[in-house]
Amino acid sequence: MIWCNSVVSYNYCKFQWLLLCCFLFLAHGENIKRSDFPDEFLFGVGTSAYQIEGAYLEDGKSLNNWDVFSLSPGTIRNGDNGFIADDHYHQYLKDIELIQSLGVDTYRFSISWSRILPRGRFGDVNPDGIMFYNKILDELVSRGIKPFVTIYHFDFPQELQDRYGSWLSPLMQEDYVHYADTCFKNFGDRVKYWTTMNEPNLFTQMAYQNGRYPPARCSQPFGDCPAGNSDTEPIVVMHNMLLAHGKAVNLYRRDYQHEQGGSVGIVLDCLMYEPLTDNELDQEAARRGLAFSIGWALDPLTFGDYPSEMRQYIGNQLPQFTSAERKFMRNSIDFIGVNHYSTTYAKDCLYSDCSISANRATKGFLDTTSERDGVQIGELTGISSLRVVPRGIGEVVEYLKERYDNKPMFITENGYSEPQTEGQDQDAIQDFKRIEFHQMYLSSLAQAIRDGANVKGYFVWTLMDDFEWIIGYRIKFGLYYIDRQTLARVPKMSAKWYQDFLKNNTQTPVIRLSSELVHNKADS
């Protein structure tokens, strides 16, 4: 690591900095500019409530599923939890100032279910919770920043789990609609972009197939949980979540949309699948992978039923929608939220040998790998399953364009975490790789838009390093570094790069920023 410790070393360090920055910019950087995107295109940053807020029992908030889950030994790396997180609950004004300083058009955040409805529909609305989000919304609107609000981002009142098993029960649909109605009623006058849920396809896999998210249900060969059925429960849970979405959107369109003028979408984990070989079986496996992950949610919300690919292999285990349900489920999204990080290879398991966990109907009879002929699909990140594959964002957008008649899309999450190394906390500030990542992915996205993809916005994940679920605080995606001892927000190079990008000033952003940092360290 290059670092300047004294004024004496300043010139030498500056020379090293500039060499390194020039190399990164010329060898790997993309000359992508804000002006490469449509004028009305929205750029933003994203967070979620449990990952940044903290204040887990303050001002009437109840315990939620993640609060309880993190108290169980061994569930979260290093015993981390979200009890304090980034202390956004107390420092939201400071964080909104950071957001404004970046120059973004919009800010994506989520509302904590247990903060505004501590007991769900079995208790009263918490006025302190309502007031907290009203203050955030008022601040954003007063600063010209468009709120982009996720209603449910993995966290819900623990009471709903204890009473009836949360998403395994149809009763959760009623609770969710009551919650969504509370949000529309209290916040909808200022929110023009709603997403009902974040990544229900990933949540069902992690919580009910692999057992790694609460309520940690699974069965062999996916995991060794006290209870659960990895082959059936994810299907039931997704069905309840999709119906909850459809009912909430139906409510919004009937009672709120005309007056409030907002739009509603859903956010999905959109991993791109490419065939492992040119063999037609692997090509078909890649198509199944997309249908079993993205189509699982979007087909019912667009066409009123599950993908034919899923019906073919899962059969009667896949629930049926009633004719009334099909009516309100069909076209129940105004836009698609795309969380995209990486691309993987897909291998057929119908006619090839695969692991027992891959060779299953609920997995689409396919296996995934990041290696082909001894070559990795992309550079390693802090999460081993996520590789840097810039072409993937263009490919997944093209898939969505073709399958869903080019419905409006927002890239609601795209971000990079550094591979874990010693001294990472210092290295994280000098995040050349994050800058390179966003430059390359944005370049691929811009080409997809030029090719006709109806993409309306792009959100960097994330504003600041946060609680990354079961990985805790070790993995860092933020534009701002969080000192875990003081909770100070420290801008990384990527924050300055994004700021410059949004000013359409990205010809030499890395070089200039590095020089500024050298001055700062040399003068300290």
Side-chain angles (χ1 to χ4, degrees):
M1 181 178 68
I2 301 170
W3 201 253
C4 296
N5 295 313
S6 68
V7 175
V8 174
S9 62
Y10 168 71
N11 287 332
Y12 176 67
C13 289
K14 180 180 179 182
F15 177 70
Q16 290 187 77
W17 274 105
L18 294 178
L19 279 179
L20 176 59
C21 295
C22 286
F23 172 78
L24 286 171
F25 184 72
L26 294 174
H28 302 288
E30 297 284 342
N31 188 21
I32 188 74
K33 304 182 295 298
R34 170 66 182 84
S35 57
D36 292 324
F37 294 84
D39 291 341
E40 67 278 8
F41 194 88
L42 299 179
F43 281 97
V45 288
T47 64
S48 87
Y50 194 75
Q51 293 180 270
I52 65 169
E53 282 184 6
Y56 80 114
L57 284 180
E58 287 190 40
D59 296 334
K61 179 187 170 296
S62 67
L63 287 173
N64 65 33
N65 54 328
W66 278 90
D67 293 325
V68 174
F69 180 67
S70 62
L71 290 171
S72 300
T75 56
I76 312 293
R77 188 179 297 183
N78 299 324
D80 291 338
N81 58 57
F83 296 172
I84 297 174
D86 292 344
D87 196 36
H88 176 72
Y89 188 75
H90 299 110
Q91 302 192 46
Y92 71 93
L93 279 176
K94 180 186 297 183
D95 294 335
I96 291 174
E97 288 175 1
L98 296 180
I99 294 166
Q100 184 180 26
S101 72
L102 290 171
V104 297
D105 308 296
T106 180
Y107 170 51
R108 178 181 177 231
F109 65 99
S110 73
I111 293 170
S112 168
W113 194 335
S114 56
R115 197 176 294 286
I116 67 169
L117 288 169
R119 301 187 61 213
R121 60 191 164 92
F122 303 101
D124 297 330
V125 175
N126 176 23
D128 288 336
I130 298 294
M131 182 172 63
F132 173 65
Y133 293 108
N134 273 330
K135 289 188 291 187
I136 288 178
L137 288 168
D138 288 344
E139 281 293 329
L140 292 172
V141 171
S142 70
R143 296 167 188 257
I145 301 167
K146 296 176 176 64
F148 200 105
V149 179
T150 302
I151 297 172
Y152 169 66
H153 195 129
F154 297 168
D155 56 307
F156 56 79
Q158 178 65 24
E159 181 165 345
L160 308 185
Q161 178 65 37
D162 296 339
R163 274 182 179 264
Y164 53 73
S166 66
W167 289 111
L168 277 171
S169 169
L171 294 174
M172 193 67 160
Q173 298 175 33
E174 299 177 42
D175 257 298
Y176 178 81
V177 173
H178 175 64
Y179 169 45
D181 188 27
T182 304
C183 292
F184 298 147
K185 186 180 303 179
N186 286 278
F187 311 129
D189 58 325
R190 287 148 294 171
V191 179
K192 304 307 177 188
Y193 299 97
W194 292 101
T195 57
T196 54
M197 300 178 182
N198 182 77
E199 300 180 334
N201 51 347
L202 178 66
F203 171 78
T204 53
Q205 174 188 330
M206 295 298 289
Y208 292 91
Q209 187 170 79
N210 301 333
R212 302 184 69 195
Y213 282 9
R217 295 178 64 87
C218 68
S219 60
Q220 294 291 344
F222 294 95
D224 188 19
C225 301
N229 186 321
S230 296
D231 290 313
T232 61
E233 288 189 354
I235 297 171
V236 172
V237 167
M238 179 64 97
H239 196 66
N240 283 324
M241 294 181 81
L242 293 176
L243 285 171
H245 160 94
K247 291 176 179 179
V249 173
N250 189 48
L251 170 74
Y252 182 74
R253 288 177 173 172
R254 186 190 69 210
D255 295 347
Y256 296 102
Q257 192 170 40
H258 177 72
E259 180 180 350
Q260 295 179 353
S263 58
V264 187
I266 195 168
V267 172
L268 297 178
D269 174 45
C270 293
L271 179 70
M272 184 61 198
Y273 292 80
E274 294 181 356
L276 179 62
T277 70
D278 293 334
N279 186 296
E280 176 58 31
L281 293 175
D282 286 349
Q283 293 183 41
E284 181 58 32
R287 290 190 285 270
R288 280 202 309 277
L290 290 164
F292 273 67
S293 58
I294 297 174
W296 188 15
L298 285 187
D299 272 35
L301 305 186
T302 305
F303 309 122
D305 201 1
Y306 290 110
S308 58
E309 298 94 328
M310 296 187 75
R311 290 279 181 209
Q312 178 180 354
Y313 293 106
I314 297 179
N316 292 333
Q317 282 191 334
L318 202 60
Q320 298 284 343
F321 293 104
T322 67
S323 58
E325 288 169 346
R326 284 196 183 94
K327 185 175 180 179
F328 70 74
M329 292 292 284
R330 189 181 295 117
N331 295 319
S332 62
I333 48 174
D334 298 318
F335 62 85
I336 301 168
V338 180
N339 286 2
H340 176 77
Y341 291 87
S342 190
T343 300
T344 189
Y345 291 126
K347 174 191 174 185
D348 172 69
C349 293
L350 286 169
Y351 302 99
S352 309
D353 291 334
C354 290
S355 66
I356 188 172
S357 60
N359 190 24
R360 303 179 89 83
T362 52
K363 298 291 285 185
F365 294 112
L366 64 92
D367 206 351
T368 58
T369 178
S370 61
E371 183 178 314
R372 180 169 66 186
D373 298 329
V375 179
Q376 295 294 325
I377 194 171
E379 189 175 339
L380 185 68
T381 70
I383 299 177
S384 60
S385 60
L386 301 182
R387 304 301 177 102
V388 179
V389 190
R391 66 178 181 272
I393 196 168
E395 292 173 345
V396 79
V397 160
E398 179 65 22
Y399 171 81
L400 293 166
K401 181 180 83 172
E402 295 301 320
R403 190 172 180 110
Y404 303 106
D405 196 26
N406 210 11
K407 187 174 287 290
M409 292 172 264
F410 289 87
I411 306 302
T412 38
E413 289 183 24
N414 179 236
Y416 174 83
S417 63
E418 305 89 349
Q420 297 178 55
T421 59
E422 292 300 322
Q424 184 186 18
D425 286 354
Q426 285 186 332
D427 290 342
I429 307 297
Q430 306 161 31
D431 57 344
F432 297 110
K433 288 293 185 182
R434 180 168 290 105
I435 296 170
E436 180 185 349
F437 175 95
H438 285 294
Q439 288 174 326
M440 292 189 296
Y441 273 72
L442 281 168
S443 181
S444 178
L445 180 63
Q447 183 59 55
I449 294 171
R450 287 191 291 271
D451 291 340
N454 191 16
V455 184
K456 300 295 188 181
Y458 175 91
F459 293 80
V460 169
W461 185 266
T462 176
L463 172 65
M464 52 191 171
D465 296 338
D466 59 13
F467 177 78
E468 283 294 337
W469 308 113
I470 57 173
I471 307 174
Y473 295 101
R474 184 60 174 158
I475 293 295
K476 296 172 169 58
F477 280 91
L479 298 175
Y480 287 83
Y481 168 77
I482 300 293
D483 186 314
R484 294 311 310 164
Q485 300 302 313
T486 66
L487 298 179
R489 282 85 163 121
V490 182
K492 302 178 187 179
M493 288 184 172
S494 56
K496 186 62 167 66
W497 168 81
Y498 198 34
Q499 192 178 57
D500 280 344
F501 168 81
L502 294 174
K503 294 176 182 176
N504 210 40
N505 181 23
T506 58
Q507 294 298 324
T508 55
V510 181
I511 296 174
R512 184 176 62 259
L513 176 57
S514 301
S515 177
E516 289 173 357
L517 281 181
V518 170
H519 276 289
N520 290 339
K521 292 306 295 182
D523 294 340
S524 62

